[in-house]
Amino acid sequence: MGTGRFAALCLAVAAVVGLFAPLLTYLPTYFTRAVGMTPSTAGWAMLALTAPVLVLPLLCGYLVRWIPARMQVVASLVLVAAGAAWMATGASLLPALLVAGCGVAIAQGLLDGQAVDAVPVEHAGAASGAFNTAKLTAETVGIAAVGAVLAQTTRGTLTGPGLADGLHSVLWCFAALCLASAAAIAALLRRPRANTTDLGSDRHREAVHEPA
């Protein structure tokens, strides 16, 4: 019970972290070597991506009373996809980073707790381990894959026009991946119309109706 929901949440975190980790790793180099920013300016620009993670998770936890977590999870993937596509155009970098950062922040605020709630209590430990494994695997694979692409397009120098071309190609791919993941997650988290409760509430409802 809850296997489909748990798989959806693992897919969501893999898509989000698979983009976020490479951006944290390679964007400063892109800003300084391709865009021409100074190191200090590049550091400030990175705040547009990372600052939402400090604020929005608490807000999302509060808003879950009115906006179901499953809707917020799908919205986070759409925002990440939009931010990645926006960055891939090479225009308005800061607003694009802010959009992507908001999507990442929404996911960070919800996914861990929702993944544990999606399975029976006796499987919570295993679910937490599997979820974190999916997260760390996506982070590692994302960084390695993007690094390989950028090394190929720049011939190992991580500079010159090949850096921008390689990063933009990667961003388009991630945007498509996040949109596809959002569609798959929406299908996996879909529930009957009569059921308006949130993820993990099936277990609570069973406990209420269980004979004493």
Side-chain angles (χ1 to χ4, degrees):
M1 184 175 184
T3 303
R5 296 175 196 164
F6 180 74
L9 294 165
C10 287
L11 176 61
V13 77
V16 170
V17 174
L19 173 64
F20 187 57
L23 287 182
L24 289 180
T25 303
Y26 298 112
L27 269 183
T29 300
Y30 170 73
F31 285 155
T32 55
R33 296 186 179 181
V35 180
M37 293 183 181
T38 63
S40 60
T41 303
W44 283 108
M46 290 296 294
L47 286 177
L49 179 66
T50 57
V53 179
L54 302 176
V55 179
L56 285 184
L58 292 176
L59 180 60
C60 292
Y62 179 75
L63 290 177
V64 79
R65 301 177 184 179
W66 300 281
I67 305 175
R70 64 186 181 278
M71 292 179 61
Q72 294 192 44
V73 169
V74 173
S76 72
L77 268 296
V78 173
L79 286 173
V80 172
W86 198 349
M87 279 185 277
T89 66
S92 304
L93 283 174
L94 292 182
L97 286 171
L98 186 61
V99 169
C102 288
V104 171
I106 293 171
Q108 293 280 11
L110 293 171
L111 290 176
D112 291 76
Q114 293 298 324
V116 174
D117 284 342
V119 300
V121 175
E122 61 270 20
H123 297 152
S128 178
F131 183 80
N132 285 317
T133 298
K135 182 189 297 184
L136 293 174
T137 300
E139 179 178 322
T140 303
V141 172
I143 292 173
V146 174
V149 171
L150 296 182
Q152 178 68 28
T153 58
T154 64
R155 298 184 178 181
T157 63
L158 290 183
T159 190
L163 179 59
D165 294 340
L167 185 62
H168 292 167
S169 297
V170 165
L171 288 170
W172 281 119
C173 291
F174 269 117
L177 174 63
C178 287
L179 281 180
S181 299
I185 290 164
L188 287 170
L189 296 183
R190 186 176 55 197
R191 37 173 73 208
R193 184 175 301 179
N195 186 355
T196 58
T197 54
D198 207 353
L199 294 174
S201 60
D202 288 341
R203 188 174 60 213
H204 172 74
R205 195 164 55 250
E206 290 170 0
V208 171
H209 292 291
E210 184 178 349

